[in-house]
Amino acid sequence: MAPFLAYEDKGPTSGSASSRPPHATPVPLVLVHGHPFDRSMWSPQIEAFSPGRRVVAPDLRGYGASPAGRPLTDFSGFARDIEALLDELAVDSCVLAGLSMGGQIVLDCYRLFPERLRGLVLADTSPASETPQGVRARDAMADRLLAEGLGGYADEVLERMVAPYASARVKAHVHAMMTGTSPQAAAAALRARARRRDHTALLPRVRVPALVVVGADDTYTPVSGARALHAALPDSTLHVVEGAAHLPNLERPEEFDRALAAFLARVDARQPSPAPPRP
């Protein structure tokens, strides 16, 4: 259950739009942040899109203002938390957007409750499971974060999370999110993420539109991986954001938002189709 998640819920709710026919109601947008961040990474998108549609942005379990709750051992616990929050907020269906780890959570949500998702936004993310080397690296990083906190890690990776030429304001925001994250929650997420499912086989079965976005200078999830993700999805659009690294929604919000706005308009115009069978 996830009523404990902290979240922002802005824009017209389903209740205020109930007089409109369903096809005229903008689809709610739910934003899932990456690691080790919080919901404030979506501040530009919340501001841009909440005047015209309902936008929900939670802090994942143990991140931001959300308490850790029960210990996370299964990566799908994040998806179950999102599902419970949708229930709590009476969001029957939505476009679900996630960046990096958030994109992996979005794919897990589609695996678990595809009937509630009208579109997917997969930004700077990968569908594959972790390699044996990656498992060892994530476990070692979890140990390090528990021993040292996130300060040294944040200093080391800041100019990979955002490009070295990103603005000082963006760098400060990203650094503050990382250093504000609980080491215990970050370590638990790293261990669970290291053992996540491989969603590669799920991609050809996705029956809703998808938007794949990637920063042109992202070294964590490079453009080549985004092109492969785009090719594997039956109905997807690829947008490469120039002048950005791993967080294009913060580094180049205007361009990111233009791509997202075009995608949302397309989803809004599309009539819901019968729910697909669960994989």
Side-chain angles (χ1 to χ4, degrees):
M1 303 299 293
F4 64 84
L5 292 184
Y7 59 88
E8 288 193 53
D9 181 7
K10 293 189 174 182
T13 66
S14 57
S16 65
S18 59
S19 61
R20 301 176 184 176
H23 66 273
T25 303
V27 180
L29 174 64
V30 179
L31 302 165
V32 186
H33 66 77
H35 165 91
F37 308 125
D38 58 50
R39 70 182 188 265
S40 73
M41 68 158 278
W42 294 112
S43 294
Q45 288 68 51
I46 295 169
E47 180 180 355
F49 292 99
S50 61
R53 75 178 63 240
R54 188 176 187 182
V55 181
V56 177
D59 283 332
L60 295 171
R61 184 191 310 198
Y63 292 83
S66 290
R70 62 190 183 277
L72 180 73
T73 56
D74 182 350
F75 188 71
S76 66
F78 284 128
R80 290 303 187 192
D81 288 348
I82 297 295
E83 183 180 30
L85 182 63
L86 296 181
D87 290 342
E88 180 77 7
L89 299 179
V91 176
D92 294 330
S93 65
C94 65
V95 169
L96 192 58
L99 184 144
S100 192
M101 183 179 79
Q104 294 165 341
I105 294 169
V106 165
L107 288 173
D108 223 24
C109 289
Y110 189 83
R111 176 180 68 86
L112 292 168
F113 47 95
E115 68 281 357
R116 299 183 73 164
L117 304 185
R118 298 274 298 278
L120 310 180
V121 181
L122 301 167
D124 300 81
T125 194
S126 169
S129 59
E130 198 57 84
T131 64
Q133 180 182 4
V135 171
R136 292 190 294 271
R138 290 196 189 278
D139 284 347
M141 181 58 70
D143 292 339
R144 176 188 171 186
L145 297 184
L146 289 173
E148 301 177 7
L150 276 86
Y153 168 78
D155 292 343
E156 290 172 14
V157 304
L158 178 60
E159 292 193 348
R160 286 189 70 193
M161 293 293 187
V162 297
Y165 48 78
S167 72
R169 178 184 57 81
V170 168
K171 287 183 180 180
H173 180 189
V174 173
H175 194 272
M177 286 192 292
M178 289 193 284
T179 55
T181 296
S182 156
Q184 292 75 22
L190 281 169
R191 296 191 201 282
R193 189 180 180 191
R195 293 156 181 85
R196 68 186 182 274
R197 289 173 178 262
D198 190 323
H199 287 122
T200 305
L202 174 66
L203 300 178
R205 302 199 298 270
V206 172
R207 297 191 182 183
V208 297
L211 172 64
V212 178
V213 186
V214 66
D217 296 331
D218 190 348
T219 58
Y220 285 114
T221 53
V223 172
S224 59
R227 293 191 189 283
L229 178 59
H230 164 58
L233 290 159
D235 182 5
S236 72
T237 302
L238 173 66
H239 190 88
V240 180
V241 180
E242 298 294 335
H246 196 53
L247 294 167
N249 70 300
L250 283 174
E251 298 171 84
R252 295 289 184 269
E254 296 85 0
E255 182 175 348
F256 185 95
D257 291 352
R258 282 194 296 272
L260 180 54
F263 178 73
L264 291 172
R266 180 183 168 213
V267 174
D268 288 342
R270 177 184 172 121
Q271 291 296 318
S273 56
R278 297 198 177 206

